[in-house]
Amino acid sequence: MFKPYRLFSLVLSLILMGGLLSPNARAAEGTGVIAVSDAEGAPGETGTVSVTIQDNPGIIAAAMEVVYDHTQLKLLQVEDANLLQEPTFGASVEQYPYYLSWNDALASDNHTDDGLLVTLTFAILEDAQPGTVEIALSGDVNDLFNWDLNNVPFVFRSGTVTVT
Protein backbone atom coordinates (compact mmCIF):
# COMPACT_ATOMS: atom_id res chain seq x y z
CA MET A 1 0.00 0.00 0.00
CA PHE A 2 1.26 3.50 -0.92
CA LYS A 3 1.83 5.95 1.86
CA PRO A 4 0.25 9.38 1.17
CA TYR A 5 3.60 11.16 0.64
CA ARG A 6 4.80 8.49 -1.82
CA LEU A 7 1.59 8.73 -3.82
CA PHE A 8 1.86 12.53 -3.84
CA SER A 9 5.51 12.30 -5.00
CA LEU A 10 4.59 9.86 -7.75
CA VAL A 11 1.72 12.02 -9.02
CA LEU A 12 3.86 15.18 -8.89
CA SER A 13 6.68 13.45 -10.79
CA LEU A 14 4.30 12.27 -13.51
CA ILE A 15 2.84 15.77 -13.90
CA LEU A 16 6.30 17.33 -14.17
CA MET A 17 7.49 14.73 -16.67
CA GLY A 18 4.33 15.18 -18.73
CA GLY A 19 4.95 18.93 -18.88
CA LEU A 20 8.51 18.39 -20.06
CA LEU A 21 7.47 15.96 -22.75
CA SER A 22 4.44 17.88 -23.95
CA PRO A 23 4.67 19.01 -27.60
CA ASN A 24 3.09 22.30 -26.54
CA ALA A 25 5.75 23.03 -23.94
CA ARG A 26 7.28 26.47 -24.29
CA ALA A 27 10.48 26.92 -26.25
CA ALA A 28 13.72 27.72 -24.45
CA GLU A 29 14.04 31.24 -23.08
CA GLY A 30 14.79 33.72 -25.90
CA THR A 31 13.58 31.30 -28.56
CA GLY A 32 10.60 32.25 -30.69
CA VAL A 33 7.97 29.85 -31.98
CA ILE A 34 6.43 29.82 -35.44
CA ALA A 35 3.45 27.48 -35.37
CA VAL A 36 0.85 26.12 -37.77
CA SER A 37 -2.70 25.56 -36.50
CA ASP A 38 -4.90 22.54 -37.26
CA ALA A 39 -7.94 22.17 -39.51
CA GLU A 40 -10.22 19.38 -40.69
CA GLY A 41 -12.52 18.58 -43.56
CA ALA A 42 -13.73 15.95 -45.98
CA PRO A 43 -12.39 15.30 -49.46
CA GLY A 44 -13.56 18.08 -51.78
CA GLU A 45 -13.73 20.64 -48.97
CA THR A 46 -11.24 23.35 -48.01
CA GLY A 47 -9.38 23.89 -44.78
CA THR A 48 -7.60 27.00 -43.56
CA VAL A 49 -4.66 26.99 -41.17
CA SER A 50 -3.00 29.91 -39.44
CA VAL A 51 0.73 30.45 -39.16
CA THR A 52 1.54 32.44 -36.03
CA ILE A 53 4.62 33.80 -34.33
CA GLN A 54 4.88 33.52 -30.55
CA ASP A 55 7.48 34.65 -28.02
CA ASN A 56 9.07 36.77 -30.76
CA PRO A 57 12.55 37.82 -29.58
CA GLY A 58 12.78 40.41 -32.38
CA ILE A 59 13.42 40.00 -36.11
CA ILE A 60 13.57 42.00 -39.32
CA ALA A 61 13.74 39.04 -41.71
CA ALA A 62 12.41 35.50 -41.90
CA ALA A 63 12.23 32.87 -44.62
CA MET A 64 10.70 29.42 -44.60
CA GLU A 65 9.08 26.80 -46.78
CA VAL A 66 5.63 25.29 -46.34
CA VAL A 67 5.83 21.52 -46.78
CA TYR A 68 2.83 19.18 -46.96
CA ASP A 69 1.66 16.06 -48.77
CA HIS A 70 0.60 17.49 -52.12
CA THR A 71 -0.98 14.16 -53.07
CA GLN A 72 -3.57 14.85 -50.33
CA LEU A 73 -3.79 18.65 -50.29
CA LYS A 74 -3.56 21.49 -52.79
CA LEU A 75 -2.61 24.99 -51.69
CA LEU A 76 -5.25 27.43 -52.94
CA GLN A 77 -4.54 30.74 -51.24
CA VAL A 78 -1.93 32.49 -49.10
CA GLU A 79 -2.93 35.65 -47.27
CA ASP A 80 -0.38 37.83 -45.45
CA ALA A 81 -1.57 39.27 -42.11
CA ASN A 82 0.76 42.31 -42.29
CA LEU A 83 2.49 41.52 -39.00
CA LEU A 84 5.94 41.68 -40.61
CA GLN A 85 6.93 44.02 -43.42
CA GLU A 86 7.91 43.41 -47.04
CA PRO A 87 6.54 39.93 -47.75
CA THR A 88 7.80 37.98 -50.73
CA PHE A 89 5.90 34.78 -51.32
CA GLY A 90 6.16 32.08 -53.97
CA ALA A 91 5.18 33.21 -57.45
CA SER A 92 2.35 30.67 -57.63
CA VAL A 93 0.43 28.58 -55.11
CA GLU A 94 1.15 25.70 -57.48
CA GLN A 95 4.80 25.90 -56.41
CA TYR A 96 5.85 23.09 -54.06
CA PRO A 97 7.21 23.52 -51.50
CA TYR A 98 5.75 26.99 -51.12
CA TYR A 99 8.14 29.77 -50.10
CA LEU A 100 7.38 32.51 -47.54
CA SER A 101 9.74 35.40 -46.84
CA TRP A 102 9.70 38.75 -45.06
CA ASN A 103 12.61 41.19 -45.23
CA ASP A 104 12.27 44.69 -43.80
CA ALA A 105 15.66 46.12 -44.83
CA LEU A 106 14.49 49.65 -43.96
CA ALA A 107 13.47 48.80 -40.38
CA SER A 108 14.91 51.05 -37.69
CA ASP A 109 14.38 48.38 -35.01
CA ASN A 110 13.30 44.75 -34.59
CA HIS A 111 9.71 43.63 -35.08
CA THR A 112 8.74 42.05 -31.76
CA ASP A 113 4.99 41.60 -32.17
CA ASP A 114 3.39 38.20 -31.74
CA GLY A 115 0.36 37.14 -33.74
CA LEU A 116 -0.86 35.96 -37.10
CA LEU A 117 1.76 35.87 -39.88
CA VAL A 118 -0.21 34.28 -42.69
CA THR A 119 -3.23 32.09 -43.43
CA LEU A 120 -3.00 29.15 -45.80
CA THR A 121 -6.10 27.72 -47.47
CA PHE A 122 -5.89 24.17 -48.78
CA ALA A 123 -8.23 22.08 -50.89
CA ILE A 124 -8.56 18.54 -49.63
CA LEU A 125 -8.24 16.50 -52.79
CA GLU A 126 -11.15 14.25 -53.82
CA ASP A 127 -9.05 11.10 -53.45
CA ALA A 128 -7.46 12.12 -50.12
CA GLN A 129 -7.29 9.29 -47.61
CA PRO A 130 -8.81 9.70 -44.13
CA GLY A 131 -6.25 10.61 -41.49
CA THR A 132 -3.97 13.50 -40.69
CA VAL A 133 -1.80 15.38 -43.15
CA GLU A 134 1.08 17.30 -41.59
CA ILE A 135 1.73 20.88 -42.63
CA ALA A 136 5.30 21.68 -41.67
CA LEU A 137 7.45 24.76 -41.90
CA SER A 138 11.10 24.31 -42.64
CA GLY A 139 13.67 27.00 -42.30
CA ASP A 140 17.35 27.52 -41.77
CA VAL A 141 18.59 29.37 -38.68
CA ASN A 142 20.48 31.64 -41.10
CA ASP A 143 17.14 32.77 -42.59
CA LEU A 144 15.83 34.34 -39.36
CA PHE A 145 17.73 37.39 -38.17
CA ASN A 146 17.41 40.63 -36.27
CA TRP A 147 18.30 44.26 -36.90
CA ASP A 148 21.91 43.62 -35.83
CA LEU A 149 22.03 40.84 -38.47
CA ASN A 150 22.37 38.19 -35.78
CA ASN A 151 20.54 34.91 -36.25
CA VAL A 152 17.51 34.54 -34.00
CA PRO A 153 16.53 31.10 -32.68
CA PHE A 154 13.06 29.85 -33.53
CA VAL A 155 11.27 26.54 -33.14
CA PHE A 156 8.90 25.50 -35.92
CA ARG A 157 5.75 23.65 -34.85
CA SER A 158 3.78 21.73 -37.44
CA GLY A 159 0.01 21.64 -37.80
CA THR A 160 -2.30 19.15 -39.44
CA VAL A 161 -5.30 18.91 -41.67
CA THR A 162 -7.43 15.99 -40.56
CA VAL A 163 -9.19 14.37 -43.49
CA THR A 164 -12.53 13.03 -42.26
Side-chain angles (χ1 to χ4, degrees):
M1 180 169 141
F2 280 111
K3 293 187 178 185
Y5 69 89
R6 284 190 179 171
L7 181 59
F8 176 75
S9 295
L10 177 64
V11 170
L12 184 59
S13 296
L14 290 172
I15 290 170
L16 289 173
M17 288 178 60
L20 292 174
L21 299 175
S22 169
N24 294 324
R26 293 180 62 86
E29 185 69 31
T31 300
V33 176
I34 298 177
V36 180
S37 69
D38 298 328
E40 71 175 50
E45 295 180 348
T46 61
T48 299
V49 298
S50 302
V51 178
T52 58
I53 188 169
Q54 306 158 12
D55 303 323
N56 183 355
I59 59 175
I60 65 163
M64 62 201 80
E65 291 180 327
V66 180
V67 181
Y68 54 93
D69 184 347
H70 57 282
T71 66
Q72 300 274 75
L73 303 175
K74 178 181 178 181
L75 185 59
L76 296 177
Q77 182 179 3
V78 178
E79 188 173 341
D80 185 43
N82 299 315
L83 185 69
L84 300 177
Q85 302 299 310
E86 303 301 323
T88 305
F89 298 158
S92 166
V93 290
E94 300 290 327
Q95 176 185 349
Y96 180 83
Y98 190 78
Y99 183 74
L100 301 170
S101 174
W102 296 266
N103 186 353
D104 191 0
L106 301 177
S108 59
D109 202 2
N110 290 315
H111 296 282
T112 57
D113 292 337
D114 288 347
L116 181 64
L117 284 173
V118 66
T119 55
L120 307 170
T121 302
F122 290 91
I124 302 170
L125 299 179
E126 291 290 342
D127 57 350
Q129 299 300 308
T132 57
V133 180
E134 182 180 40
I135 300 173
L137 300 173
S138 68
D140 187 314
V141 68
N142 296 318
D143 292 333
L144 297 150
F145 54 91
N146 64 19
W147 192 82
D148 295 320
L149 301 181
N150 294 320
N151 296 113
V152 180
F154 272 87
V155 171
F156 293 104
R157 294 214 174 113
S158 299
T160 60
V161 172
T162 301
V163 180
T164 57

